[in-house]
Amino acid sequence: MNAPLRHPPVLDNQPDMLASSDTWFMPHPDRDEPVGRLARRLFRTLRLHDRPRHPRARLLHVPFLRELALSAHGLYCLFSLGGDVARRFGKSRRRQLLEIAGLAMRDGLDAQTYYMQELYGDGGDQRAAHTLTSFETKNGLFTALKRFAPRRTTGRSPLGDKLAFHARCRRHGVTTVPILLSAARGRCELLDGGIVPGADLFMKPRHGKGARGAGLLRHLGDNHYRGDEGRILSTDSLLADIARRSLETPYLLQPRLTNHRDIADLADDSLLVVRVITCLGADHQPIVTHGMLRVIGKLEPQWHDATEYAAPIDLATGRMGAMTGDKLAAALDWHLHHPVTGAPVAGRILAAWPAVREAACAAHRAFTDRILLGWDIAVTPQGIVVIEGNALPDVAFLQRVHRQPIGRSRLGPLLRGYLDRLALVE
């Protein structure tokens, strides 16, 4: 395990190299090393582990304890999925165990990656070498690559602070969700015209990412709302409740967005988002490398399903592929139709895809001090809306949905350029 190191001094001592794009394709003795393997080697040798972000349990970042936990989890994975893989692919559990052990020693991959990324299939060894994991990307590698972005004198652009993110997007002409109210330290401030009578609302923490702590407030009429937990609140009671919550965590209140009719059959209550990955090229202009439609089950109270489902989107045509989920138990499942609503998915064309692509690039141009970003973008009856940006996007589910390791995707050559520059300081 790498010793935690917030800012690797070996990088900070090379300002000229970091600021220049002339070294983008400088030759390197390990030029042919696969992207995934190179990323993990640099993560170890440059001691890039800066914070235990993934997994969240800090004990799983401690040497020996981490290996012990991965070994136990590997046996669980083999017990849970080994039989199905043996029946469908003719590969015995003993053979699977040997392959998992080999991948662990050779590429530092675990059993969950083996099954979720289908590395038991033909060419699994080669694909494994190009596969990235959240352990290196979230715990320091992507943070280190940010040093190659254009320098700013005003400090790092905001992503985790949704209020500041909204303000920056608005300055750059990027459409985001209006913020009706901001609450912090027990005080509420009305923004963007305040609460509009008769409309459903959405409440979420000001800081953080994803749907954690968020909730829908349905308007019942007569200025009353019902929350996800079933409580009914008047407007005054709602404001008092948000003010109370904000004593511990700042909150925002936004209008509820709805899905465009072209995709509305893929969800019941929740807002669908398109996850778009953009990466700066050598000219510091954003390039779209991945797109996928996300459906978050835990935002659908009637589904009783915590699965996140997603379908890949072809970058050229907007055509969607088969849908899959992020849960280990369903690692072998792929759906031509939505597994809950039954709506067709595979082969369906997202008509708004060109506009979504452009919105992602426009948003990244407002945050060019970031190398790689994951955008969540909604397609609504009112148009395209950027929901949020993520500086440490999940790579595991992204690769699973596309059934392709990042090293062999459009992102691979771009990421390779940054990793080669990083390798020059070894």
Side-chain angles (χ1 to χ4, degrees):
M1 174 58 63
N2 303 311
L5 186 62
R6 188 173 301 278
H7 298 294
V10 69
L11 297 182
D12 294 334
N13 291 336
Q14 304 287 335
D16 294 336
M17 187 201 73
L18 299 182
S20 172
S21 61
D22 296 337
T23 59
W24 188 268
F25 292 113
M26 286 183 66
H28 189 271
D30 296 314
R31 184 70 192 175
D32 295 329
E33 187 175 10
V35 166
R37 194 170 290 166
L38 173 60
R40 283 182 285 280
R41 178 171 64 80
L42 294 176
F43 180 74
R44 293 191 305 271
T45 58
L46 294 180
R47 298 182 301 144
L48 297 180
H49 191 293
D50 66 345
R51 192 180 302 172
R53 301 181 183 90
H54 180 87
R56 293 180 187 173
R58 297 182 67 90
L59 289 178
L60 296 182
H61 293 257
V62 177
F64 178 72
L65 291 180
R66 172 174 168 78
E67 283 70 28
L68 185 64
L70 289 177
S71 298
H73 186 61
L75 292 176
Y76 170 78
C77 293
L78 184 65
F79 176 80
S80 301
L81 297 169
D84 287 340
V85 170
R87 284 188 292 273
R88 297 192 195 186
F89 299 93
K91 183 169 289 186
S92 69
R93 277 181 166 158
R94 179 178 179 275
R95 182 61 184 170
Q96 293 173 50
L97 180 59
L98 291 175
E99 290 183 351
I100 291 170
L103 288 176
M105 291 185 290
R106 186 170 54 253
D107 287 292
L109 303 182
D110 59 14
Q112 178 147 331
T113 302
Y114 175 77
Y115 289 109
M116 294 297 281
Q117 306 302 335
E118 302 178 300
L119 300 181
Y120 46 77
D122 294 339
D125 285 347
Q126 291 75 27
R127 287 187 289 114
H130 287 279
T131 298
L132 290 175
T133 77
S134 296
F135 188 78
E136 68 265 6
T137 58
K138 286 183 178 290
N139 294 329
L141 180 68
F142 280 175
T143 302
L145 295 184
K146 293 174 186 177
R147 291 166 171 78
F148 297 115
R151 302 289 187 180
R152 284 188 180 273
T153 59
T154 56
R156 182 60 52 83
S157 57
L159 285 172
D161 184 336
K162 295 179 176 65
L163 185 61
F165 173 81
H166 170 74
R168 186 181 188 87
C169 285
R170 176 164 290 187
R171 288 197 302 270
H172 287 265
V174 176
T175 302
T176 58
V177 189
I179 295 177
L180 307 179
L181 178 145
S182 174
R185 299 178 182 177
R187 299 182 60 182
C188 296
E189 179 183 1
L190 295 177
L191 305 168
D192 287 348
I195 299 175
V196 178
D200 291 344
L201 303 173
F202 199 73
M203 180 174 63
K204 63 170 60 175
R206 174 176 168 175
H207 301 281
K209 60 182 180 180
R212 287 193 295 274
L216 175 63
L217 297 160
R218 294 181 179 276
H219 186 257
L220 303 177
D222 194 27
N223 292 325
H224 281 72
Y225 300 86
R226 177 186 286 117
D228 289 340
E229 69 282 2
R231 285 198 307 158
I232 296 177
L233 301 169
S234 67
T235 302
D236 290 341
S237 297
L238 172 61
L239 295 177
D241 183 64
I242 294 176
R244 177 185 55 79
R245 291 171 182 251
S246 74
L247 291 171
E248 295 183 2
T249 302
Y251 268 85
L252 302 176
L253 199 60
Q254 299 176 308
R256 179 196 182 189
L257 299 185
T258 58
N259 298 306
H260 192 279
R261 62 177 181 272
D262 287 351
I263 56 173
D265 57 349
L266 296 173
D268 289 337
D269 295 323
S270 65
L271 180 68
L272 300 167
V273 294
V274 181
R275 166 57 60 92
V276 183
I277 302 296
T278 56
C279 183
L280 296 185
D283 59 355
H284 295 153
Q285 291 300 308
I287 298 170
V288 173
T289 68
H290 292 81
M292 65 184 194
L293 184 76
R294 302 174 64 198
V295 187
I296 302 176
K298 66 182 179 182
L299 295 181
E300 296 282 0
Q302 304 305 315
W303 291 7
H304 305 291
D305 185 354
T307 304
E308 176 180 339
Y309 297 101
I313 299 172
D314 182 82
L315 297 183
T317 65
R319 187 181 300 274
M320 290 190 283
M323 179 171 277
T324 190
D326 66 343
K327 301 304 180 189
L328 179 66
L332 275 65
D333 295 345
W334 298 85
H335 310 278
L336 301 182
H337 292 76
H338 193 294
V340 180
T341 71
V345 176
R348 185 172 183 159
I349 293 178
L350 182 65
W353 173 242
V356 170
R357 285 185 57 150
E358 178 51 40
C361 289
H364 201 153
R365 284 191 286 269
F367 294 83
T368 52
D369 59 330
R370 311 280 186 155
I371 292 292
L372 187 147
L373 290 168
W375 302 99
D376 284 339
I377 300 175
V379 181
T380 77
Q382 293 74 38
I384 305 301
V385 181
V386 176
I387 305 298
E388 66 179 16
N390 192 329
L392 300 173
D394 175 53
V395 295
F397 194 41
L398 183 75
Q399 293 170 114
R400 170 171 171 77
V401 171
H402 288 83
R403 306 182 91 163
Q404 181 185 53
I406 281 178
R408 288 183 171 172
S409 72
R410 193 179 187 189
L411 178 57
L414 297 170
L415 188 58
R416 178 81 207 206
Y418 290 109
L419 292 176
D420 279 349
R421 294 170 68 188
L422 191 59
L424 293 174
V425 301
E426 278 193 282

